[in-house]
Amino acid sequence: MDVLNSVPAGGIAAETLRVHPKVAAVFDVLNASDWPWLLLRGEEDLALPSGDVDILVDSGLLPRLDELLAAAGFCRVLALGHGSHRFYFCYTVDDGAWIKLDVVSDLAFGPYQQWRTPWAPRCLRRRVRRGTYWMPDPADQAWLLLLHLFMDKGGISPERQPLALAAARTAADGGRIAESVRRRVGAGPVAEMVDLVLGGRFDDVPATAARMRAAWRGGVSPRLVAAANRLLRRSGAQVRGHTPLLGVMAPDGAGKTTLLNGLHADVPLPTKYVYMGLWGAGPWDKVLGRIPGGRTGKKIYRLVRGGVLARFYRLMGKVVLMDRVAYDALLGGSGGGPLAGMSNALALAVIPAPDVLLVLDVPGPVMFERKGEHTPELLESWRQDYLQLAGRLPGGRVVDAAQPAEAVQRVATGIIWETLSRAAGTRPANRRRHPGHDGGPVAPENAAPVAQEAGAAEALALHLWRLLDWRFLIPVLQPRNLGFGGQVSRETESALRLLDPEAVRLAGPGAGTGGASCDVVLLASPERGHMESAGLALEPGGWICVEASRSLLRRSGPRTLRGWKRTLERRGYQDVTLYWNAPNRDRTARLVPVRSGVAIRDTLALRKDVRFGALKAAAAHLALALHVFDLMVPEGTVTGRRPERGGRP
């Protein structure tokens, strides 16, 4: 992967360049972080980057990097075995293009980053300002480019030869990196590298590059590093957080497979294509047709296999693209008889429900022209059935698929990105429920009167109320000084600032709020360091709210809601109480005190109509009987009060 600059040494005048708004937002948040960073390559390609936007940052910025770039609209894709590389993606709907950030904190060379260097801090100290962004010093830029071409690529392609020649002319005058390179590969190969490029003998570059690779000295064994990274890459890339499942429904000829194959090939995120085809024809249909229950058995096998694959891929952090979904069982003509009815019900139970369901809308005659199967009248009848079904299914989106395939794919890509962004922290804008109405959150037994905050309510948009449900769990409905930290989405931050325009974000693990004191601190999916920051920021008598999820795979910190409760108690907080966000924090309908068995049983009784509701309720009742319900709570909120010192603050 290219991690080095591809512009002539000396760069391009900043005033002649146009920067894409999404990239400009990245530059803004990095500049605001007060940590050094620079753009490694692609200065001439910032208007709409066709390749990676390669950025070098100080290692001290890494703990906050995901949060900062999420604020700029980018989602991280985890990829092990790539050294210090971190990859972030954003889809621009207006341009119909993906923008990829490749952020590193170290400078390493080779296809597996096996040849490491300590040059990153030095290059950051010598960086040069280019308007709103920073570039390497011209001499550093020249040497990094030459090493990239020799150590990474092992050759110089014709289109890069003028660029290499310009870099060699600058490198011939020396530079801070030059001596370090000579110590690692020897003075002879370094001089030969520069002379080959200046002399235009590009055919001899591969041999010199091989000698430089073999002669590299210093640091950890390159072979060991390459072997370790090669092994780590076998795990594959993963989308961080909740990965969306996209299902597609339509009659034959609407373009389902064409759309999903196009998405699988063109979306740069880790994706997996799952073809269900539960009721499709197969080579063994004639044999199975003679066996009682044969076709139903084939259907059960396919639905179990597809459901397991979809869930496994999702667990592995892949965006699942599902061709046909279990909702096909709700259509007329999907099969008759008790066995078919049982298999259809099993399909609805086993196959995961898609986050987004695309129903491709194509007139019957158009579908007939595309595939020549069935009749235009029958296809039009099926089309109407699908459209009626789309109106009553969760996540249903009707897409005009009569337009060219490229346009349909662009619409679907935008929907995928919208869903992924929302799962990463942005809440849907159409959830406009006021607390306590139309399924909104019900205030727990210790909630203060809502009438006390009538003035604050007028300043809040209705759809932002749901992001502030935690206020009903503490007696401070209108904080004087509000602090927040953790994985707080941009929309949640906007709601918090409407509640308190002077709300402050915790500066970082253990750093507090830069001297400000808060009477209320909200932490969303925090790390252990955020608890330390909250302790530094919270004034005596102040309240803390921790929104957390159960995660047995956490590497550090509490893994359960009971663990978060005990953490607060060990840190000296008083009146610590745990609440269950039912069903979850994204769709909170009730805030249930975990200490109240009656409230939990009442909530479970209301959820028997959901998928596996009876089974989940039985498991919850068993957990209550065994007094381990606080270990089983999937998502909830823990509140606590910092003790006062010497009276009221």
Side-chain angles (χ1 to χ4, degrees), residues 489-634:
S489 68
R490 286 174 292 173
E491 189 173 11
T492 301
E493 181 174 347
S494 299
L496 293 174
R497 296 197 183 279
L498 286 173
L499 181 63
D500 178 11
E502 304 299 327
V504 291
R505 177 183 288 274
L506 303 187
T513 59
S517 62
C518 304
D519 61 334
V520 175
V521 169
L522 171 69
L523 299 180
S525 302
E527 300 293 338
R528 179 174 295 177
H530 291 115
M531 291 294 300
E532 299 174 2
S533 299
L536 293 173
L538 198 61
E539 63 186 30
W543 286 84
I544 184 173
C545 294
V546 180
E547 294 183 336
S549 304
R550 183 189 68 225
S551 176
L552 300 180
L553 301 179
R554 287 176 60 91
R555 296 183 179 180
S556 63
R559 294 176 172 82
T560 65
L561 273 296
R562 175 191 285 184
W564 281 109
K565 182 174 181 291
R566 288 180 174 176
T567 297
L568 264 65
E569 292 173 339
R570 284 196 298 266
R571 290 177 179 268
Y573 289 93
Q574 299 175 349
D575 302 324
V576 179
T577 308
L578 171 60
Y579 298 89
W580 170 30
N581 288 50
N584 54 54
R585 283 188 290 161
D586 287 335
R587 296 187 296 108
T588 299
R590 286 193 171 198
L591 299 170
V592 185
V594 172
R595 65 188 178 190
S596 173
V598 174
I600 294 174
R601 293 186 181 93
D602 288 345
T603 303
L604 294 174
L606 297 174
R607 294 187 49 76
K608 289 184 177 180
D609 58 336
V610 302
R611 179 176 298 181
F612 301 124
L615 183 61
K616 292 178 181 178
H621 284 295
L622 179 61
L624 276 175
L626 298 177
H627 303 288
V628 294
F629 187 80
D630 52 353
L631 292 176
M632 305 300 294
V633 175

Side-chain angles (χ1 to χ4, degrees), residues 12-18:
I12 302 175
E15 59 270 13
T16 65
L17 297 174
R18 187 174 71 87

Side-chain angles (χ1 to χ4, degrees), residues 295-630:
R295 289 184 57 83
T296 301
K298 183 192 77 168
K299 194 161 67 171
I300 292 176
Y301 164 75
R302 286 188 175 183
L303 72 89
V304 171
R305 175 181 176 275
V308 169
L309 283 176
R311 295 179 187 275
F312 173 75
Y313 291 148
R314 200 177 211 181
L315 182 64
M316 296 303 293
K318 315 296 183 184
V319 177
V320 180
L321 308 174
M322 183 174 288
D323 190 342
R324 301 179 185 272
V325 295
Y327 294 137
D328 282 346
L330 302 178
L331 293 168
S334 61
L339 288 179
M342 291 174 58
S343 64
N344 291 344
L346 184 62
L348 292 170
V350 172
I351 301 175
D355 297 285
V356 178
L357 177 64
L358 298 186
V359 178
L360 305 185
D361 182 25
V362 183
V366 176
M367 287 187 281
F368 180 77
E369 291 178 3
R370 290 179 176 179
K371 295 194 70 172
E373 297 180 355
H374 310 293
T375 65
E377 294 76 18
L378 181 59
L379 291 171
E380 180 63 26
S381 174
W382 288 347
R383 173 201 180 194
Q384 297 302 324
D385 290 341
Y386 277 105
L387 292 177
Q388 292 179 9
L389 187 61
R392 45 191 186 91
L393 291 177
R397 304 279 289 269
V398 178
V399 177
D400 179 12
Q403 56 186 327
E406 295 78 8
V408 178
Q409 182 173 324
R410 181 167 176 170
V411 172
T413 303
I415 293 174
I416 290 177
W417 174 248
E418 173 192 339
T419 307
L420 183 62
S421 301
R422 185 168 62 245
T426 302
R427 307 288 175 87
N430 61 349
R431 290 180 180 165
R432 302 180 178 273
R433 297 179 182 175
H434 192 282
H437 297 277
D438 192 22
V442 178
E445 52 199 23
N446 67 338
V450 181
Q452 296 180 5
E453 54 162 348
E458 296 175 357
L460 292 174
L462 290 179
H463 76 283
L464 298 180
W465 272 93
R466 297 188 67 97
L467 307 181
L468 303 176
D469 294 343
W470 52 269
R471 292 182 302 158
F472 296 100
L473 307 180
I474 61 176
V476 185
L477 288 180
Q478 185 61 42
R480 290 181 289 102
N481 299 296
L482 174 64
F484 60 93
Q487 299 180 20
V488 177
S489 68
R490 286 174 292 173
E491 189 173 11
T492 301
E493 181 174 347
S494 299
L496 293 174
R497 296 197 183 279
L498 286 173
L499 181 63
D500 178 11
E502 304 299 327
V504 291
R505 177 183 288 274
L506 303 187
T513 59
S517 62
C518 304
D519 61 334
V520 175
V521 169
L522 171 69
L523 299 180
S525 302
E527 300 293 338
R528 179 174 295 177
H530 291 115
M531 291 294 300
E532 299 174 2
S533 299
L536 293 173
L538 198 61
E539 63 186 30
W543 286 84
I544 184 173
C545 294
V546 180
E547 294 183 336
S549 304
R550 183 189 68 225
S551 176
L552 300 180
L553 301 179
R554 287 176 60 91
R555 296 183 179 180
S556 63
R559 294 176 172 82
T560 65
L561 273 296
R562 175 191 285 184
W564 281 109
K565 182 174 181 291
R566 288 180 174 176
T567 297
L568 264 65
E569 292 173 339
R570 284 196 298 266
R571 290 177 179 268
Y573 289 93
Q574 299 175 349
D575 302 324
V576 179
T577 308
L578 171 60
Y579 298 89
W580 170 30
N581 288 50
N584 54 54
R585 283 188 290 161
D586 287 335
R587 296 187 296 108
T588 299
R590 286 193 171 198
L591 299 170
V592 185
V594 172
R595 65 188 178 190
S596 173
V598 174
I600 294 174
R601 293 186 181 93
D602 288 345
T603 303
L604 294 174
L606 297 174
R607 294 187 49 76
K608 289 184 177 180
D609 58 336
V610 302
R611 179 176 298 181
F612 301 124
L615 183 61
K616 292 178 181 178
H621 284 295
L622 179 61
L624 276 175
L626 298 177
H627 303 288
V628 294
F629 187 80
D630 52 353

Side-chain angles (χ1 to χ4, degrees), residues 190-379:
V190 172
E192 185 179 355
M193 174 184 68
V194 177
D195 291 341
L196 284 178
V197 178
L198 290 175
R201 292 178 289 142
F202 298 107
D203 292 339
D204 298 331
V205 168
T208 302
R211 286 194 293 272
M212 292 177 65
R213 292 173 173 179
W216 189 276
R217 298 185 298 274
V220 183
S221 169
R223 290 186 178 180
L224 181 61
V225 174
N229 285 342
R230 190 183 298 111
L231 180 62
L232 289 173
R233 290 187 188 183
R234 292 183 178 273
S235 63
Q238 303 177 19
V239 175
R240 183 174 184 179
H242 177 81
T243 54
L245 188 154
L246 177 76
V248 179
M249 291 179 67
D252 295 334
K256 299 184 300 295
T257 305
T258 301
L259 170 61
L260 291 174
N261 284 334
L263 293 173
H264 184 54
D266 297 337
V267 172
L269 305 174
T271 61
K272 283 294 185 178
Y273 174 83
V274 177
Y275 176 73
M276 298 303 297
L278 305 180
W279 301 273
W284 297 97
D285 283 358
K286 291 184 178 180
V287 177
L288 294 174
R290 302 191 193 100
I291 302 175
R295 289 184 57 83
T296 301
K298 183 192 77 168
K299 194 161 67 171
I300 292 176
Y301 164 75
R302 286 188 175 183
L303 72 89
V304 171
R305 175 181 176 275
V308 169
L309 283 176
R311 295 179 187 275
F312 173 75
Y313 291 148
R314 200 177 211 181
L315 182 64
M316 296 303 293
K318 315 296 183 184
V319 177
V320 180
L321 308 174
M322 183 174 288
D323 190 342
R324 301 179 185 272
V325 295
Y327 294 137
D328 282 346
L330 302 178
L331 293 168
S334 61
L339 288 179
M342 291 174 58
S343 64
N344 291 344
L346 184 62
L348 292 170
V350 172
I351 301 175
D355 297 285
V356 178
L357 177 64
L358 298 186
V359 178
L360 305 185
D361 182 25
V362 183
V366 176
M367 287 187 281
F368 180 77
E369 291 178 3
R370 290 179 176 179
K371 295 194 70 172
E373 297 180 355
H374 310 293
T375 65
E377 294 76 18
L378 181 59
L379 291 171

